[in-house]
Amino acid sequence: QVRLQQSGPGLVKPSQTLSLTCAISGDSVSSNSAAWNWIRQSPSRGLEWLGKTYYRSKWYNDYAVSVKSRITINRDTSKNQFSLQLNSVTPDDTALYYCAREGVNDAFDFWGQGTMVTVSS
Amino acid sequence: QSVLTQPPSVSGAPGQRVTISCTGSSSNIGAGYDVHWYQQLPGTAPKVLIYGNSNRPSGVPDRFSGSKSGTSASLAISGLQAEDEADYYCQSYDSSLSGWVFGGGTKLTVL
């Protein structure tokens, strides 16, 4: 069974960088058939896909247009985990952040537990 | 304003059938991209209910069914049960945005 365990701070100051990590068990970040995503949820934006990283003979990253200038998704194969960095955050980035696996059917079939991140001074 | 449009709420009595619509456009559902449906119970992460328009993962009751036509998709829930009370979201790919998009969500109330 795949399990995704999120970690990271719940409070970030405006203009700083939001950083979260998602540790994978039961699968590999280097899987040729999965993609590893970050999604956030807020009352104002609903569910919003942020981006993903995946391996298909080489590494790829795809990012949502809305955050493309501020986001980086990295992977650490030695720790079997992937991470989210979102720069220059504002209160509008306050949300519940999820990591999720995109499986062979392109649906998000496994999700992390969610991390509530508040952007406030 | 979500790219995929869902009704904010639907309701039904136990045992009844309800449908939730998901309306898109020619750059997502209408372009032939698959639609997936998720159920989110309070305080939990979304759970995939239907993938690839009409397929149920193992463990999802056959009371749940999905369909797609043109630029829209629908989730039907028959034999409503109290435990079905949750938020439901549709998801697809949008070629104009080059990424995954979600509907705004529909809150199902079992009367």
Side-chain angles (χ1 to χ4, degrees):
Chain A
Q1 182 77 337
V2 176
R3 186 165 182 259
L4 304 178
Q5 181 67 38
Q6 297 178 222
S7 60
L11 181 64
V12 182
K13 288 182 167 46
S15 79
Q16 294 194 343
T17 297
L18 181 160
S19 296
L20 296 174
T21 298
C22 184
I24 304 163
S25 56
D27 200 348
S28 171
V29 71
S30 305
S31 166
N32 268 296
S33 58
W36 305 97
N37 293 257
W38 288 99
I39 296 160
R40 66 183 178 184
Q41 184 173 28
S42 65
S44 59
R45 294 175 173 268
L47 283 168
E48 182 184 13
W49 175 77
L50 299 176
K52 65 180 176 182
T53 189
Y54 54 103
Y55 184 77
R56 301 289 186 270
S57 301
K58 68 174 186 176
W59 287 101
Y60 294 88
N61 286 327
D62 294 337
Y63 298 134
V65 170
S66 60
V67 295
K68 195 165 190 174
S69 63
R70 300 191 292 131
I71 189 174
T72 303
I73 296 178
N74 286 316
R75 80 293 301 191
D76 185 334
T77 56
S78 66
K79 294 182 179 177
N80 202 28
Q81 62 187 31
F82 63 109
S83 62
L84 167 70
Q85 285 191 303
L86 189 63
N87 303 324
S88 305
V89 296
T90 71
D92 194 44
D93 293 308
T94 293
L96 181 56
Y97 285 75
Y98 290 103
C99 60
R101 187 185 85 163
E102 181 185 328
V104 293
N105 299 306
D106 293 339
F108 300 120
D109 53 5
F110 291 97
W111 296 65
Q113 80 275 22
T115 301
M116 182 64 211
V117 178
T118 300
V119 179
S120 173
S121 53
Chain B
Q1 191 86 353
S2 299
V3 173
L4 305 178
T5 301
Q6 298 180 232
S9 63
V10 297
S11 62
Q16 286 190 332
R17 181 180 186 271
V18 297
T19 61
I20 299 172
S21 61
C22 174
T23 302
S25 67
S26 57
S27 62
N28 42 67
I29 300 175
Y33 295 108
D34 283 346
V35 177
H36 314 302
W37 289 91
Y38 300 86
Q39 177 193 60
Q40 187 175 32
L41 298 169
T44 68
K47 165 194 162 187
V48 60
L49 210 56
I50 298 287
Y51 67 89
N53 306 316
S54 58
N55 301 290
R56 281 186 312 276
S58 62
V60 173
D62 59 6
R63 302 186 295 105
F64 295 90
S65 62
S67 62
K68 176 186 144 182
S69 178
T71 57
S72 294
S74 290
L75 172 71
I77 309 171
S78 59
L80 266 183
Q81 300 180 3
E83 67 204 48
D84 299 333
E85 196 161 279
D87 294 325
Y88 293 83
Y89 296 89
C90 59
Q91 176 225 338
S92 187
Y93 182 83
D94 190 281
S95 58
S96 296
L97 298 172
S98 299
W100 298 113
V101 291
F102 288 93
T106 299
K107 182 174 182 58
L108 168 63
T109 299
V110 181
L111 302 170

